[in-house]
Amino acid sequence: MIQAAVRPTFAKFHPVTEAAVRKLVLDSPSSSCDQDPIPTWLLKKCINELTPVLTRIVNLSLLEGHFPDSFKHAQVDPLIKKSGLDPEVLANYRPIAKLKFVSKLIERAGVNQINAYLEKNRLYGKTQSAYRKHHSVETAMIRIYNDLLLAADRGQETVLVMLDYSSAFDIIDHDTMLQRLSSGYGIVGTALDWFRSYFNNRT
């Protein structure tokens, strides 16, 4: 009798250690947001005193499957796309959303565990370069270039179609994405609740 392969699932996050939180803080950029109660550089200087508190905040969010609404409010600053563009034309600006440092800290802690799960269970697409360690636009271009050369060696004709979605992340349907996380990637339970909470009530 042939047994069906067991489908991997990720039902809950694991508690994050103080050492891991400390490393996340120290490895983070020192940029701050006007909403931060203290600047990031000062937080880093007080890391020994603040690590237990930050670890508790991170773990409460991940383990309870809840992303606090107070961390979902972004300060949006307009940044001109290129020097020399007319500053009077609104289309020449790119909106930059700035979130509280602790918000980004919780995100990074969650992302680390999700990435480890996806890598371990080989759930990333073979050709995906974005959002993967040791992958980038450069690795994607090398892959495409190699495929074109191999096709040319075989005497085949090739067509390259490139799509550039404007503000792609702004148009993703959250319900569809949550359904895909569950059915396609095995993210369920409290972990899926955390994602649902993360996307709701953003301002």
Side-chain angles (χ1 to χ4, degrees):
M1 181 177 174
I2 299 173
Q3 285 187 327
V6 177
R7 179 173 170 266
T9 58
F10 187 94
K12 62 182 180 179
F13 291 96
H14 304 295
V16 181
T17 64
E18 288 189 8
V21 169
R22 180 188 176 91
K23 185 175 187 319
L24 281 173
V25 170
L26 295 177
D27 289 349
S28 297
S30 292
S31 57
S32 294
C33 167
D34 288 344
Q35 299 182 84
D36 285 324
I38 60 172
T40 305
W41 65 265
L42 181 57
L43 185 146
K44 288 183 176 184
K45 282 190 177 290
C46 303
I47 190 63
N48 292 335
E49 294 77 15
L50 294 176
T51 295
V53 176
L54 293 172
T55 304
R56 179 160 170 74
I57 292 170
V58 170
N59 281 330
L60 281 172
S61 174
L62 295 178
L63 300 180
E64 293 185 5
H66 176 73
F67 200 92
D69 286 348
S70 60
F71 294 148
K72 299 180 196 176
H73 182 72
Q75 171 189 320
V76 180
D77 292 341
L79 183 70
I80 198 144
K81 293 177 182 176
K82 292 179 187 174
S83 61
L85 291 177
D86 184 354
E88 297 298 319
V89 178
L90 293 180
N92 290 339
Y93 288 89
R94 177 184 297 113
I96 304 297
K98 295 181 178 179
L99 293 162
K100 292 179 181 176
F101 179 82
V102 176
S103 170
K104 293 183 282 188
L105 183 64
I106 298 170
E107 284 178 22
R108 290 183 182 115
V111 164
N112 285 349
Q113 292 190 36
I114 292 293
N115 278 340
Y117 163 75
L118 295 174
E119 289 282 358
K120 178 183 176 184
N121 293 287
R122 298 180 180 165
L123 293 171
Y124 277 119
K126 289 181 180 179
T127 58
Q128 178 179 331
S129 279
Y131 312 109
R132 295 180 68 186
K133 196 172 184 179
H134 307 304
H135 290 72
S136 64
V137 172
E138 186 178 358
T139 56
M141 293 303 295
I142 290 170
R143 170 65 186 261
I144 292 168
Y145 185 65
N146 185 61
D147 287 349
L148 292 171
L149 290 177
L150 290 174
D153 287 345
R154 292 191 296 265
Q156 297 174 329
E157 294 182 6
T158 57
V159 176
L160 178 62
V161 178
M162 302 177 76
L163 301 175
D164 182 12
Y165 291 104
S166 178
S167 303
F169 288 108
D170 295 340
I171 59 174
I172 295 173
D173 180 77
H174 292 168
D175 290 333
T176 301
M177 184 168 55
L178 290 166
Q179 191 273 329
R180 288 293 307 276
L181 285 172
S182 176
S183 63
Y185 296 93
I187 297 173
V188 296
T190 309
L192 189 64
D193 291 340
W194 184 84
F195 276 100
R196 185 177 291 108
S197 174
Y198 178 88
F199 291 118
N200 283 342
N201 300 324
R202 289 206 163 257
T203 55

